[in-house]
Amino acid sequence: MPGNTFGQLFRLTSFGESHGAAIGGVVDGCPAGLRMDTAQVQAELDRRRPGSTPLGTSRKEEDRVEFLSGIFNGETLGTPIGFILRNQDARSDDYGHLQDSFRPGHADLAWEQKYGLRDHRGGGRASARETAVRVVGGAIARQLLAAHGVQVRAWVSQVGAERLLIPYQELELDQVYASAVRCPHPEAAQRMADLIGLVRGQGDTIGGRISCVAQGVPAGLGEPVFDKLHADLGKAMFSINAVKGVQFGTGFDAIAMRGSEHNDAFVRKGASIGTATNRSGGVLGGISNGEDILFDVAFKPVSTLMRGQRSVDRQGGEVVLEGKGRHDPCVAPRAVPVVEAMACLVLADHLLRQRAARA
Amino acid sequence: MPGNTFGQLFRLTSFGESHGAAIGGVVDGCPAGLRMDTAQVQAELDRRRPGSTPLGTSRKEEDRVEFLSGIFNGETLGTPIGFILRNQDARSDDYGHLQDSFRPGHADLAWEQKYGLRDHRGGGRASARETAVRVVGGAIARQLLAAHGVQVRAWVSQVGAERLLIPYQELELDQVYASAVRCPHPEAAQRMADLIGLVRGQGDTIGGRISCVAQGVPAGLGEPVFDKLHADLGKAMFSINAVKGVQFGTGFDAIAMRGSEHNDAFVRKGASIGTATNRSGGVLGGISNGEDILFDVAFKPVSTLMRGQRSVDRQGGEVVLEGKGRHDPCVAPRAVPVVEAMACLVLADHLLRQRAARA
Amino acid sequence: MPGNTFGQLFRLTSFGESHGAAIGGVVDGCPAGLRMDTAQVQAELDRRRPGSTPLGTSRKEEDRVEFLSGIFNGETLGTPIGFILRNQDARSDDYGHLQDSFRPGHADLAWEQKYGLRDHRGGGRASARETAVRVVGGAIARQLLAAHGVQVRAWVSQVGAERLLIPYQELELDQVYASAVRCPHPEAAQRMADLIGLVRGQGDTIGGRISCVAQGVPAGLGEPVFDKLHADLGKAMFSINAVKGVQFGTGFDAIAMRGSEHNDAFVRKGASIGTATNRSGGVLGGISNGEDILFDVAFKPVSTLMRGQRSVDRQGGEVVLEGKGRHDPCVAPRAVPVVEAMACLVLADHLLRQRAARA
Amino acid sequence: MPGNTFGQLFRLTSFGESHGAAIGGVVDGCPAGLRMDTAQVQAELDRRRPGSTPLGTSRKEEDRVEFLSGIFNGETLGTPIGFILRNQDARSDDYGHLQDSFRPGHADLAWEQKYGLRDHRGGGRASARETAVRVVGGAIARQLLAAHGVQVRAWVSQVGAERLLIPYQELELDQVYASAVRCPHPEAAQRMADLIGLVRGQGDTIGGRISCVAQGVPAGLGEPVFDKLHADLGKAMFSINAVKGVQFGTGFDAIAMRGSEHNDAFVRKGASIGTATNRSGGVLGGISNGEDILFDVAFKPVSTLMRGQRSVDRQGGEVVLEGKGRHDPCVAPRAVPVVEAMACLVLADHLLRQRAARA
């Protein structure tokens, strides 16, 4: 089964190369009769646009989403929602030198090893440009989730060694996109921005961490034993370019913890039962338990450097490659809407899947 | 779509509750004409058996796998391989007190929130017992992989704060199962065993880390943009009970790295091209690049404690629960064959999927 | 993707060869909290048993279904329902002569062409014995359907040239299984039985037709444009051994009809809208319209004859094969519960799928 | 799972309403490195265009397919092939009267019963216009099949009572599209054309039959027990608008045949084994056996009549509807390329699936 469709009942099929005619997608399974605010979808798309932050690249991609089907009089029809984003401002010449060379840290060679050929222009299908399609799909999913009281928000919680350790409950998550680095804590954001600037000046790049919280998720989502909610979220995150790690709740810190300190005690919360703490990150046994779902995503430093790197060409000869084109020194700020989008897709899918759980 | 089937072309469907008549599974898509050593499958199953390590529980589950179909004269037929493991030694009485109470850290409540009812005996379907089915499926997949030169090995690399930092290339990975804690480094293993013993004596539990390496994986496996090889591996790992984090290569450490130090330089390796280092963990852009695939899995401490924990019952009344039955203080040693099994399932699946990649 | 799983949300995975240890299956996706009468499942299974009709074979397969999981205290858990049927009374010796020869009309050669090997005993996986698993799965689905007011009934409407043309509304469909040939019209049943007896005496076989009606199906089931309700029903029917044709409503007769006589006029039916006639067979545009769903299935004559047939062996040498073992002269009577089962599986699946249709 | 994706390894996802901005699709899983002649795809698309035959409607849809991705320098990349067809010449006014009324024989009401709303313009998603997307997908599949020596051809073999009974081996199948009614036998074609003209003059419509043959299909395609080759072909055909019946080989005629006359004898054919006759239609046990695959598809008469029909409106009030817009009196001629396309999609899918069959 080819790998460009995500989800079971709420599904996104994605297509498009970076420098082809267009990228686009099809959302199939969005329930009928949902009010769909396409301007809001465009607004979310604008958040991942290159150039949307002063720290990002200088590219000015328009990224206008054009909806082709599935929406009628402002409501979803229950039929597939097709959409495209025309590719513009493609400086394919910037990539001519890559036709026969393989950039370190990039998938150039791996794609050739897989398919025997590739579209080298702008990374082709391996370009992060394809994540724009995810953002559109996620924005549609988000409107379904919103109708069910679910809210998903992500932010940059670390750049290099600069980490934001303040609990999310104390952050102004509505202010994430007001920050160029997508960090809602002004002082931490400034430190991160300074670090990114420093690294950029060195022609180098740096990694980052995005944290994400989903609130209002009803208890009961997730399909054990394989399609556990956090398993599907984990896959969704690893499918994003440059992701090297994912953790839920305490994550890797749980290794050094005792059961007596890790277990979340059950307590009465009004008419229902909740947990006093949330070390599990809102998922128990692969099923949402009604608490906030919380996870972290680790991004490696961007592979394209603005300075020479030694590599080899198709014949195995040594070459020195230097980044051309326009690239971010840290992927995390622009990946925030992508993390949110993928989380929305997973949650919308499981929201629908849960409808079949009971007789 | 229900969640008890894993994989696309090489698929495992799993069934069974801990204290029902049997657990079992169906492997569909195993290619025809493969020599299948069922004794070897049983041998792998024995590795996860409770009681297989002195550090584990005192349960003596037989876990005899009975193959029902799909194998004829020692070869696979290409038809589905059905198998069952009868449940034995089930002390359901140990769980009677759980019918109306919810154990902290367990999925008892979440399952009820999802389905409206549950089989409370031994954790029912949420029990780690279901992982025995994964081990059988994975052992079948491993024989397919072996025929293609692929080898998958995992080991415990951390218990609590005791971490093994020696590179896997310097470890005797063939000796993993000779160690009670499934750590191939004798001194580290001893420290881990001591820690587990200490924790057990306190009626407490502790987390752990498993590292896994897949060697001999051909370049080209993985189906971007969603079914990337490490995305499917990540999902596989998160689907295992108690897993809170997964990372590939440098993982979370990549956050604080520079691109100039993280990128793996391409170099000639004989007739082909490889990388001088392997910080990416053998996957670039979601596709295997021919290097070793390396990842870590973080397990939380076991939730069942041998001492009282406060919780609530169905009516929200406060209760104190104390673990009965037989439980491991650290899940990592017994989870090693499960991590291997899930990795084998993913790799076998992608090995077959890759056959459709070229015209 | 291997082909032994049927359905999306309500799924049956099947395994087993005719003369292996057992056949069995896994129903995943049956909603939780459904009362499950396992004795009723066994009763349905008994209806397809060889020897269940005087016209059938003399084999006395026990076909006891053993449920292994997914049902607790008489209710479904929402977890997969695993079950097996041990193979008994297997006279494998009857099939020794087939190891190197290919029976005309059978799939012996095709399976070898596909897989390179096969289990020749009793037809292996190609045996109609696998349909027993479908009957179990269908009987589970039927209990879900019954809870939603849906009823599915099939009957033999033709054997050879003996055709029953009386409309189903005038038949006693509750009496189908009281008839050895599974035809609810006594006189027609007698003519069919006489014909089968005649053909049997000649060592020959004959084809048959099964008609099926699903009543009480709510309007709105079916997922255009590909997973139309009748498309999935059609696939389900063609997946049954020996089926050569399927038609809905007027079927092939529609070719020679005018639109003015074929169209079903819409009329008020109480508070809702229905059709005055039902030439469409209850499906319009691939979606159920609330009328009875009606279709016919054509079965070819059984391929195994009790007289010599010329064929070839593995080396291409000419051989004469004569049927051994025990075989029906007409497959239709025993296929009635299989047609019902597959129809139930499709309808249960679409019943659940429809739950995701609206926001 | 929503129903707008067809196939497993070679998959077409379709979107678009008749009077929306565009229809389109995504072919995912087309192997890399295949020469792709996009002009040939357009040529196939032209064959189903309204107005492409004198007997068809007077609409002049351009139906220009625009490829957006997946093809680079005339070769497939292995990435998804996205494409769109802009909707033009849409006279939505012709459909205004249908907003609150339900056309007999159409899916208007069924779609509302399913989704609670619909796009009434031109039939919306239920319009046969969506089959243009299938033709594009099928034309891509056909180029993969051609590279493996497989050829698929369909023709109109019956209109009303006018049936062509000459065996396909004696027909000039290359001449199908030279005939306005898509019948390669000139005299029969004339009789069919005359009948269509007669029916049109009466403001009425009539049914038709399409026969299809796939030649050069390698033995071994098909995935028992559920995804049998003819089961997937059957589903593919039933998913086409207006199809009421499908049969393979002898089909419904097999009911009245004896096994001794129906069985195809195995004979040596050069180095391999084939059958002397082909009553099975090229499929045995759900697997292709190397003979021609042959099937028939029955189409009901077009539901839109150019004369008044009584119906009801949303409130159940009686109305009289008369067809407006431009409609064919017989759907069969324009459905020929659609039948071919769906057959190509199924065969391409199974061609790839078969690659996983052997170790």
Side-chain angles (χ1 to χ4, degrees), chain B:
Chain B
M1 188 176 279
N4 296 284
T5 296
F6 189 84
Q8 303 295 337
L9 292 185
F10 191 104
R11 319 184 93 185
L12 172 65
T13 297
S14 162
F15 65 85
E17 282 74 50
S18 178
H19 287 56
I23 59 173
V26 185
V27 170
D28 199 11
C30 187
L34 179 71
R35 296 300 311 171
M36 186 51 54
D37 181 345
T38 55
Q40 180 58 33
V41 175
Q42 180 65 51
E44 294 201 32
L45 188 56
D46 292 342
R47 291 172 171 171
R48 77 160 284 289
R49 201 180 57 223
S52 68
T53 84
L55 299 165
T57 78
S58 59
R59 279 175 289 177
K60 292 293 177 203
E61 300 179 14
E62 276 289 332
D63 274 355
R64 300 298 307 174
V65 58
E66 181 188 4
F67 286 99
L68 302 174
S69 67
I71 303 171
F72 184 55
N73 293 336
E75 277 186 296
T76 56
L77 283 166
T79 60
I81 302 171
F83 60 89
I84 59 172
L85 296 81
R86 294 278 170 187
N87 290 326
Q88 297 176 335
D89 187 24
R91 300 190 193 164
S92 297
D93 294 349
D94 285 350
Y95 298 94
H97 64 303
L98 298 177
Q99 197 159 357
D100 295 305
S101 301
F102 306 113
R103 295 168 295 167
H106 278 279
D108 302 336
L109 177 59
W111 279 69
E112 283 210 10
Q113 287 169 323
K114 180 174 188 65
Y115 294 114
L117 78 171
R118 66 182 162 113
D119 178 358
H120 66 280
R121 302 167 304 164
R125 181 92 183 122
S127 165
R129 176 153 177 72
E130 62 89 358
T131 59
V133 170
R134 304 177 184 224
V135 172
V136 173
I140 294 169
R142 194 196 293 273
Q143 296 193 32
L144 175 64
L145 291 172
H148 290 82
V150 181
Q151 192 174 26
V152 174
R153 285 180 298 193
W155 63 98
V156 173
S157 57
Q158 188 173 358
V159 171
E162 293 292 347
R163 186 165 180 190
L164 173 66
L165 284 166
I166 295 172
Y168 70 93
Q169 294 90 340
E170 302 171 23
L171 298 174
E172 301 279 351
L173 294 183
D174 292 334
Q175 299 304 309
V176 169
Y177 289 102
S179 152
V181 284
R182 309 314 193 198
C183 172
H185 189 279
E187 290 75 17
Q190 188 57 51
R191 289 196 301 273
M192 293 173 185
D194 290 346
L195 178 56
I196 292 175
L198 175 73
V199 167
R200 180 203 292 274
Q202 296 166 340
D204 212 339
T205 62
I206 194 147
R209 177 196 302 255
I210 291 176
S211 297
C212 184
V213 63
Q215 297 175 298
V217 178
L221 305 197
E223 301 291 332
V225 295
F226 296 120
D227 296 352
K228 291 175 173 172
L229 185 60
H230 65 302
D232 277 350
L233 282 167
K235 171 172 175 170
M237 296 305 133
F238 278 120
S239 78
I240 300 173
N241 295 22
V243 171
K244 302 305 291 180
V246 180
Q247 62 180 16
F248 291 82
T250 48
F252 278 86
D253 290 342
I255 298 170
M257 293 175 76
R258 298 291 180 94
S260 56
E261 57 181 335
H262 192 277
N263 280 348
D264 300 307
F266 286 115
V267 294
R268 295 184 63 161
K269 291 193 173 179
S272 64
I273 298 173
T275 60
T277 52
N278 186 18
R279 294 182 192 107
S280 78
V283 181
L284 281 172
I287 300 171
S288 63
N289 67 352
E291 304 295 327
D292 290 352
I293 294 176
L294 186 63
F295 59 90
D296 283 357
V297 187
F299 290 81
K300 71 174 184 180
V302 169
S303 297
T304 301
L305 310 185
M306 290 300 137
R307 59 188 198 190
Q309 293 187 90
R310 293 173 57 166
S311 189
V312 296
D313 62 17
R314 194 180 305 281
Q315 287 73 35
E318 294 195 4
V319 295
V320 174
L321 296 174
E322 182 163 345
K324 298 183 186 179
R326 298 138 300 181
H327 298 278
D328 297 322
C330 179
V331 74
R334 282 189 61 201
V336 168
V338 183
V339 165
E340 290 183 348
M342 292 307 298
C344 286
L345 287 170
V346 172
L347 292 170
D349 192 32
H350 278 277
L351 197 74
L352 296 180
R353 292 173 76 173
Q354 173 61 5
R355 292 187 182 178
R358 300 195 189 186

Side-chain angles (χ1 to χ4, degrees), chain D residues 11-317:
Chain D
R11 321 185 91 186
L12 172 64
T13 296
S14 163
F15 65 85
E17 281 76 49
S18 179
H19 286 57
I23 60 173
V26 185
V27 170
D28 199 11
C30 188
L34 179 72
R35 298 298 312 170
M36 186 52 53
D37 181 346
T38 55
Q40 180 57 33
V41 175
Q42 181 65 50
E44 295 201 33
L45 189 56
D46 292 343
R47 291 172 170 172
R48 76 160 285 289
R49 201 179 57 222
S52 68
T53 83
L55 299 164
T57 78
S58 59
R59 278 175 291 177
K60 291 292 178 202
E61 300 179 14
E62 277 288 333
D63 274 354
R64 299 299 307 174
V65 58
E66 181 188 4
F67 286 98
L68 302 174
S69 66
I71 303 171
F72 184 56
N73 292 337
E75 277 185 296
T76 56
L77 283 166
T79 61
I81 303 171
F83 60 89
I84 59 172
L85 296 81
R86 295 276 172 191
N87 290 326
Q88 298 176 333
D89 187 24
R91 299 190 195 164
S92 297
D93 294 348
D94 284 348
Y95 299 93
H97 64 303
L98 297 177
Q99 197 158 359
D100 295 305
S101 302
F102 307 113
R103 296 167 295 168
H106 278 279
D108 302 336
L109 177 59
W111 278 71
E112 284 211 10
Q113 287 169 323
K114 180 173 189 66
Y115 294 114
L117 77 171
R118 68 183 162 112
D119 178 355
H120 67 280
R121 302 167 304 164
R125 181 94 181 119
S127 165
R129 175 152 177 74
E130 60 90 356
T131 59
V133 171
R134 304 176 185 225
V135 171
V136 174
I140 294 169
R142 193 195 294 273
Q143 296 193 32
L144 176 63
L145 292 171
H148 291 82
V150 181
Q151 193 175 27
V152 174
R153 286 180 298 192
W155 63 98
V156 173
S157 56
Q158 187 174 358
V159 170
E162 293 293 347
R163 185 164 180 191
L164 172 67
L165 284 166
I166 295 172
Y168 69 93
Q169 293 91 341
E170 302 171 24
L171 298 174
E172 302 279 350
L173 294 184
D174 292 335
Q175 299 304 309
V176 169
Y177 289 102
S179 152
V181 285
R182 309 313 193 199
C183 172
H185 189 279
E187 290 76 16
Q190 189 57 51
R191 288 196 302 272
M192 293 174 184
D194 290 347
L195 178 56
I196 291 175
L198 175 73
V199 167
R200 180 203 293 274
Q202 296 166 339
D204 212 339
T205 62
I206 194 146
R209 178 196 302 255
I210 291 176
S211 297
C212 184
V213 63
Q215 298 175 297
V217 178
L221 304 197
E223 301 291 332
V225 296
F226 296 118
D227 295 353
K228 290 174 172 172
L229 185 59
H230 65 302
D232 277 350
L233 283 167
K235 171 171 175 170
M237 297 305 133
F238 278 120
S239 78
I240 301 171
N241 295 23
V243 171
K244 302 305 289 180
V246 179
Q247 62 180 16
F248 291 82
T250 47
F252 278 86
D253 290 341
I255 298 171
M257 292 175 77
R258 298 292 180 94
S260 56
E261 58 181 336
H262 192 278
N263 281 347
D264 299 309
F266 286 116
V267 293
R268 295 184 63 161
K269 289 192 174 178
S272 65
I273 299 173
T275 59
T277 52
N278 186 19
R279 295 184 189 106
S280 77
V283 181
L284 281 172
I287 300 170
S288 64
N289 67 351
E291 304 295 327
D292 290 354
I293 294 176
L294 186 64
F295 59 90
D296 282 358
V297 187
F299 291 81
K300 69 174 184 179
V302 170
S303 298
T304 302
L305 310 185
M306 290 299 138
R307 59 188 197 189
Q309 294 188 90
R310 294 172 57 165
S311 189
V312 295
D313 61 17
R314 196 180 303 282
Q315 287 73 36

Side-chain angles (χ1 to χ4, degrees), chain A residues 224-225, chain B residues 2-4 13-17 111 115 125, chain C residues 25-30 68-71 77-83:
Chain A
V225 294
Chain B
N4 296 284
T13 297
S14 162
F15 65 85
E17 282 74 50
W111 279 69
Y115 294 114
R125 181 92 183 122
Chain C
V26 185
V27 170
D28 199 11
C30 187
L68 302 175
S69 68
I71 303 172
L77 283 166
T79 61
I81 302 171
F83 60 88

Side-chain angles (χ1 to χ4, degrees), chain A residues 28-71:
Chain A
D28 198 11
C30 187
L34 179 71
R35 297 299 313 172
M36 185 54 52
D37 181 345
T38 55
Q40 180 57 32
V41 174
Q42 181 64 50
E44 294 201 33
L45 188 56
D46 292 343
R47 291 172 172 173
R48 76 159 283 289
R49 200 181 57 222
S52 68
T53 84
L55 299 166
T57 78
S58 59
R59 279 174 290 177
K60 291 293 178 203
E61 301 178 14
E62 276 287 334
D63 276 354
R64 299 300 307 175
V65 58
E66 181 189 4
F67 286 98
L68 303 174
S69 66
I71 303 171

Side-chain angles (χ1 to χ4, degrees), chain A residues 105-107 126-128 130-131 134 206-209 237-246 297-303 330-332 335 338, chain B residues 228 230 248 250-252 254-255 262 280 283-286:
Chain A
H106 277 279
S127 165
E130 61 90 356
T131 59
R134 304 177 184 224
I206 194 146
R209 177 196 302 255
M237 296 305 133
F238 279 119
S239 79
I240 300 172
N241 295 22
V243 172
K244 302 305 291 180
V246 180
V297 187
F299 290 81
K300 70 174 183 179
V302 171
S303 299
C330 179
V331 74
V338 184
Chain B
K228 291 175 173 172
H230 65 302
F248 291 82
T250 48
F252 278 86
I255 298 170
H262 192 277
S280 78
V283 181
L284 281 172

